[in-house]
Amino acid sequence: MADRGIVAVFGSMNMDLSVACERIPRAGETVGGSGFITNAGGKGANQAVAAARMGACTHMIGAVGRDAFGASLVVGLQDAGVDCDFVVHRDDVETGTATIVRCEGDNRIILSPGANYALAGADVACALRRLVAHELDGDASEIAPAAGSVFIAQGECDLAATADALVCAHELGFYTVFNPAPACELPAEVWPAVDLVCPNETECQVLTGILPTDDASCVAALKALLAKGAGAAVITLGGSGSVTLGDDGGLLRMPALSSEVVDTTAAGDTFIGALAAARLQGLPLFECMVAGARASAVTVSRLGAQQSIPTRAEVERKFGLDGLDGEAE
Ligand code: RIB
């Protein structure tokens, strides 16, 4: 199926400083680390890379400092096929960084947002309107010029800007995806502008007070997310896959696909970017979750953030063109 629009991502761009250790040091203690890497990350940028590598026409809206990290992040995004015309270079603030500790099959992150807080809602709205005017003019309807396109936002930028951006994108007709990571709440009046909310289990607990552990708590949590006003909800559960509600209100679960776990960094971002690219092709939500699961299974088998995100061809080589489970090789 041919894509009908674009994926526009408003979000963070970070340089990730990542190191592995066998256990987390206690206060005042030093432990040995290994495998230090500096690599491009940031939830927004990772999601944009995932969407682009799945073949979606993808635009990044964000900000970096006018420094070496910022320049490198923009080049990395462009190499991945992401348009960066709406990435602002700021003189007054440094590029965002994430200090990541990889330990016991999971990661812990200290975020220094820097330029990620530089854009206001009006800046994002201006970028979205220009995107709609320039990119989508051909098949635009006057009421919803971005219909068929996808907008993604997360929780690593200024929350007021994120809320305004979601409202603007929804008004323009984008299918809006909100990934509340790290956990953050939206003003009540903004939730109806969210077509799909996609938290992980801990973010879900912050938003709903329910930790989704078994089928019953997953259903309760999904219903609580919908009760806020979102059009649909998907919860990602790490090794337990992802869940949503079917049309009959019953639980639909997409299991995580088997993969050797090397580094979980950017796995959730890959899920969202690949889901958005599938949505652009007009696929139903559960099939978009399948696309997310397939792509993120490849990401966890590799080290780092953007450097670990696969292309569509790599996903198809591992899982076949259509298969939901198992390896093709
Ligand atoms: O989701 C992973 C990302 O979170 C990392 O790339 C890091 O930059 C943090 O923002």
Side-chain angles (χ1 to χ4, degrees):
M1 211 178 296
D3 288 357
R4 293 178 295 163
I6 61 168
V7 172
V9 181
F10 167 49
S12 55
M13 301 172 65
N14 298 329
M15 189 56 80
D16 290 356
L17 314 171
S18 172
V19 67
C21 63
E22 294 203 345
R23 66 179 179 78
I24 300 296
R26 289 186 291 272
E29 185 190 22
T30 300
V31 300
S34 60
F36 176 80
I37 51 170
T38 303
N39 74 125
K43 294 185 193 302
N46 295 346
Q47 292 169 13
V49 166
R53 292 204 175 133
M54 291 305 119
C57 173
T58 307
H59 297 259
M60 184 76 204
I61 303 168
V64 292
R66 203 175 291 283
D67 50 33
F69 282 168
S72 160
L73 290 176
V74 169
V75 169
L77 279 182
Q78 289 169 332
D79 285 350
V82 178
D83 181 281
C84 290
D85 282 358
F86 295 102
V87 174
V88 174
H89 297 253
R90 296 281 297 237
D91 289 314
D92 55 340
V93 64
E94 76 286 357
T95 297
T97 59
T99 303
I100 302 179
V101 179
R102 312 190 302 274
C103 189
E104 294 166 346
D106 215 329
N107 59 57
R108 291 165 174 79
I109 301 177
I110 302 169
L111 196 64
S112 172
N116 291 315
Y117 272 46
L119 294 191
D123 300 318
V124 186
C126 176
L128 287 174
R129 291 201 185 93
R130 286 177 58 192
L131 273 174
V132 166
H134 294 149
E135 299 288 332
L136 306 170
D137 211 14
D139 49 4
S141 89
E142 280 185 12
I143 299 164
S149 291
V150 180
F151 173 76
I152 314 176
Q154 325 74 32
E156 286 190 338
C157 293
D158 177 70
L159 194 56
T162 302
D164 289 350
L166 283 163
V167 171
C168 174
H170 191 259
E171 281 171 3
L172 288 170
F174 283 89
Y175 179 82
T176 56
V177 179
F178 177 49
N179 170 221
C184 53
E185 183 52 281
L186 288 174
E189 66 276 13
V190 175
W191 278 104
V194 175
D195 292 308
L196 171 66
V197 59
C198 189
N200 69 13
E201 60 268 64
T202 53
E203 291 146 8
C204 174
Q205 185 179 26
V206 173
L207 283 176
T208 67
I210 302 167
L211 182 64
T213 50
D214 54 11
D215 285 5
S217 54
C218 284
V219 170
L222 287 161
K223 286 185 174 167
L225 290 167
L226 297 183
K228 289 177 177 291
V234 170
I235 305 170
T236 55
L237 301 166
S240 299
S242 59
V243 289
T244 191
L245 292 176
D247 292 340
D248 61 356
L251 190 69
L252 295 178
R253 183 184 294 268
M254 177 58 207
L257 300 173
S258 73
S259 200
E260 182 201 1
V261 177
V262 171
D263 179 8
T264 58
T265 307
D269 300 329
T270 303
F271 181 93
I272 291 187
L275 179 152
R279 174 75 201 186
L280 208 58
Q281 295 182 293
L283 296 179
L285 182 56
F286 189 75
E287 286 184 49
C288 296
M289 290 161 62
V290 173
R294 286 157 51 105
S296 57
V298 179
T299 295
V300 299
S301 70
R302 302 166 171 177
L303 188 62
Q306 284 163 37
Q307 65 187 27
S308 73
I309 297 172
T311 61
R312 177 183 289 271
E314 287 173 314
V315 173
E316 289 176 353
R317 264 202 303 280
K318 184 170 172 68
F319 292 111
L321 289 178
D322 299 308
L324 297 189
D325 50 29
E327 296 200 16
E329 302 138 78

